[in-house]
Amino acid sequence: LSEALEASGLEVDLRGPGGFPARPDELQQYEAVVFNDFNAVSLTAGQMRLCQVAVKESGLGFAMIGGENSFLSGGYYNTPVADILPVDLNIRQRKTFPSTAVLIVVDCSGSMGMIEDGEEKIRLAARAAEETVKLMGPNDRVGVYGSSDGIEHVAEIQELTNKEHVISQIRRLAVTGGGIYIGPSVVAGEAALRAESSKVRHLIILADGSDSTDWRDSMTRVKSMLADKITTSVVAIGDGQDVKQLRALAALGGGRFYLAARANQLPAIFTQDASLMAR
């Protein structure tokens, strides 16, 4: 694409993940920005707002080219960038989609109490779960569990006829100490999702990339779940020693693996995973 634009006489600055301008003066030198299959995880919240303001107030041209990392599947749901798109990403509100049941099991170990960008990581994880609830339609069902020394049923899987009620439950997520125990998390997720009658059943596990323990038979269990059309995705916070196993868990579970360098990437990751698996 950049070569074609240059052949048309345009000056093109080609950048990859991490290369988007972070200050207004850096963006002012451009007449237009094109996101070509560019995932939202590659942008900070500040960079998204910068782009939004430049388009709305300074007349910056903007285009997004479709691809696996664009629009809804690229994690742009309910972001400042979505606000400047000429299309609605809220497609899960349509009743023509098959019903989907999503259970999110969140790491509530001590490391989730660390402060990042002025907030506890656990609060950023809760916000990611909230955004998933907002994304899903009224026929869908969503639940959230906390995992550390035990499994806390923060919000049982339920219909989203009253999203504010579900969100209020999710906001009770809190750090309870201990570690993140993969085996018990998978067992709890399997029990809850096997009881669901939704056409699509999906488990999302958020785990510490450096402190995931007590694996038990989780690998064979997610494989068995997949045989019954229950998929499992895994999100690892931090590129630690357990990432290889967490990646393998997602592969055996028929879902996707996401590596979040920072907790503020979680909302984009959760919404793109839920939308991809639900379709």
Side-chain angles (χ1 to χ4, degrees):
L1 176 62
S2 62
E3 291 174 356
L5 292 172
E6 288 173 341
S8 299
L10 298 176
E11 291 185 32
V12 179
D13 186 359
L14 181 63
R15 300 192 180 192
F20 191 80
R23 301 194 313 270
D25 60 302
E26 291 180 294
L27 199 55
Q28 285 173 359
Q29 62 179 305
Y30 300 103
E31 293 182 76
V33 171
V34 178
F35 283 4
N36 183 18
D37 205 21
F38 191 65
N39 199 291
V41 173
S42 301
L43 297 165
T44 66
Q47 287 173 317
M48 288 195 193
R49 286 192 293 271
L50 176 64
C51 185
Q52 177 194 38
V53 170
V55 170
K56 285 194 167 189
E57 299 181 7
S58 302
L60 177 75
F62 180 78
M64 180 178 287
I65 297 177
E68 187 175 330
N69 294 292
S70 302
F71 301 104
L72 184 59
S73 60
Y76 287 100
Y77 175 77
N78 206 23
T79 65
V81 171
D83 186 50
I84 57 176
L85 290 174
V87 293
D88 183 7
L89 301 188
N90 206 15
I91 62 171
R92 287 299 304 172
Q93 304 307 314
R94 290 170 52 190
K95 295 184 178 180
T96 53
F97 282 88
S99 60
T100 298
V102 176
L103 178 64
I104 302 171
V105 180
V106 176
D107 176 6
C108 290
S109 64
S111 62
M112 292 297 287
M114 295 178 63
I115 303 298
E116 181 181 296
D117 298 328
E119 284 190 273
E120 283 186 322
K121 286 184 178 181
I122 193 69
R123 298 271 57 83
L124 295 167
R127 189 179 307 154
E130 291 177 30
E131 292 300 326
T132 304
V133 168
K134 294 175 184 177
L135 163 73
M136 307 304 283
N139 293 333
D140 297 324
R141 294 167 61 81
V142 175
V144 176
Y145 290 176
S147 176
S148 58
D149 287 341
I151 303 296
E152 181 185 2
H153 294 206
V154 177
E156 295 289 3
I157 299 180
Q158 56 196 285
E159 289 185 354
L160 300 179
T161 51
N162 186 345
K163 292 189 177 184
E164 288 305 317
H165 174 67
V166 181
I167 289 172
S168 68
Q169 291 180 307
I170 292 172
R171 287 175 179 168
R172 298 182 305 178
L173 262 175
V175 173
T176 55
I180 171 67
Y181 302 119
I182 302 300
S185 298
V186 172
V187 169
E190 179 182 19
L193 288 169
R194 284 195 184 279
E196 290 293 312
S197 59
S198 300
K199 291 184 179 179
V200 178
R201 295 173 292 173
H202 184 55
L203 173 64
I204 302 175
I205 297 177
L206 172 64
D208 190 323
S210 300
D211 190 25
S212 296
T213 59
D214 194 4
W215 288 79
R216 302 187 191 182
D217 62 343
S218 55
M219 296 291 185
T220 55
R221 192 174 289 272
V222 296
K223 190 175 181 180
S224 173
M225 290 163 59
L226 180 60
D228 290 329
K229 299 183 179 180
I230 301 174
T231 51
T232 302
S233 288
V234 180
V235 182
I237 298 183
D239 191 4
Q241 60 189 9
D242 300 315
V243 164
K244 184 177 180 179
Q245 273 188 286
L246 292 169
R247 189 186 298 274
L249 188 70
L252 289 172
R256 292 185 162 218
F257 174 79
Y258 304 86
L259 180 61
R262 300 184 64 80
N264 60 19
Q265 296 174 327
L266 296 178
I269 290 173
F270 276 34
T271 54
Q272 69 178 292
D273 182 68
S275 63
L276 283 168
M277 301 312 296
R279 75 182 184 187

